[in-house]
Amino acid sequence: SGLALCAANLGHPEEAERLILDILKVDPQNPNNRVRYNQLGLVYLMLGKYPDAIDWLSKSKAADPDAAGPSDNLSRMEWNEIGLMAAHGAGGQLQEAKAGYAAYAGRWSHRSVWRLTTYFTKAEGALPAFRTAFEGLKAAGMPAFADETIDEHVVAPAEPKPAGDFETTAIAAPGAQTIVTGALSDALRKGAPPIVIDVGSGAAVIPGASWINDTFPSADGQTDLEKEILRLSNGDRARRIVVMGNSVFDWNGYNATLAVLSLGFSNVSWYRGGEEAWAAAGLKADDRRDP
């Protein structure tokens, strides 16, 4: 099972398929096979075998009673639904794909195609059939990118907010300015560009930015952030700092902004749209995720 996961992550879906099918032959009654059905369905998406993907994802869904309510963290149940929509859309079954998305969006909101792709490795995302599968999600009706200007009137907490992966953020962090994509792009082209700290997934890191792969609030994150920001600023707490995370639907960038302010920096901006908004604008970025 571990080898199958490694094979898929490294972009070798044929090997992953063989290994998972071997497991199912050896241990066909294992209750954990619902996990393997899901893995196999996603592997078939990578291979472009969309009818097979639908069969196995449907088996996983049937074997995994859906008793849980809506969640802001991705679950296997949700990946079953995502995979089914992608397979139907990529396979030309648009009526089924759109019906699936209509039901899905009412339960799991704030998702976008770009953001979901960041949960996979670069090798997986480079597979042509897998890219086609994500195009199938767009055909189903899922937005390609989140809107960085969305305002759902969320109260801005003064303290860090531990949250799920897809919760709408406030439009401003207390003590910091909110900066949008165009303004940040302009600032980076000028003579004294700001220091950019990225605490997102690493899928679209602005060239020259410092990527800190930590969760905030956490002791490790605070330590890593303090070391890096003091190094970059030479201890000058008047330097302009821009902090960003994954998306407008991600509190990690907000929490990291509060962490920077707690270190005594006075000229801090929060790039609320994060990596997703930068990618949506088509601006140059580095993918620093695992190969």
Side-chain angles (χ1 to χ4, degrees), residues 61 86 144 169:
K61 181 178 177 179
T169 54

PDB file of all heavy atoms in Angstrom, residues 61 86 144 169:
ATOM      1  N   LYS A  61     -17.352   5.029  -2.475  1.00  0.00           N
ATOM      2  CA  LYS A  61     -18.463   5.798  -1.906  1.00  0.00           C
ATOM      3  C   LYS A  61     -19.486   4.879  -1.252  1.00  0.00           C
ATOM      4  O   LYS A  61     -19.974   5.147  -0.142  1.00  0.00           O
ATOM      5  CB  LYS A  61     -19.104   6.636  -3.008  1.00  0.00           C
ATOM      6  CG  LYS A  61     -20.259   7.513  -2.552  1.00  0.00           C
ATOM      7  CD  LYS A  61     -20.782   8.336  -3.712  1.00  0.00           C
ATOM      8  CE  LYS A  61     -21.990   9.165  -3.291  1.00  0.00           C
ATOM      9  NZ  LYS A  61     -22.507   9.994  -4.418  1.00  0.00           N
ATOM     10  N   ALA A  86     -14.873  14.832 -11.760  1.00  0.00           N
ATOM     11  CA  ALA A  86     -13.775  14.972 -12.722  1.00  0.00           C
ATOM     12  C   ALA A  86     -13.863  13.917 -13.813  1.00  0.00           C
ATOM     13  O   ALA A  86     -13.688  14.220 -14.999  1.00  0.00           O
ATOM     14  CB  ALA A  86     -12.445  14.884 -12.002  1.00  0.00           C
ATOM     15  N   ALA A 144     -12.433  27.951 -11.619  1.00  0.00           N
ATOM     16  CA  ALA A 144     -11.011  27.669 -11.802  1.00  0.00           C
ATOM     17  C   ALA A 144     -10.187  28.251 -10.659  1.00  0.00           C
ATOM     18  O   ALA A 144      -9.240  27.620 -10.174  1.00  0.00           O
ATOM     19  CB  ALA A 144     -10.529  28.225 -13.143  1.00  0.00           C
ATOM     20  N   THR A 169     -11.877  34.092   4.889  1.00  0.00           N
ATOM     21  CA  THR A 169     -11.156  34.978   5.806  1.00  0.00           C
ATOM     22  C   THR A 169     -11.839  36.334   5.919  1.00  0.00           C
ATOM     23  O   THR A 169     -12.670  36.711   5.089  1.00  0.00           O
ATOM     24  CB  THR A 169      -9.720  35.187   5.312  1.00  0.00           C
ATOM     25  OG1 THR A 169      -9.758  35.637   3.951  1.00  0.00           O
ATOM     26  CG2 THR A 169      -8.920  33.904   5.400  1.00  0.00           C
TER      27      THR A 169
END
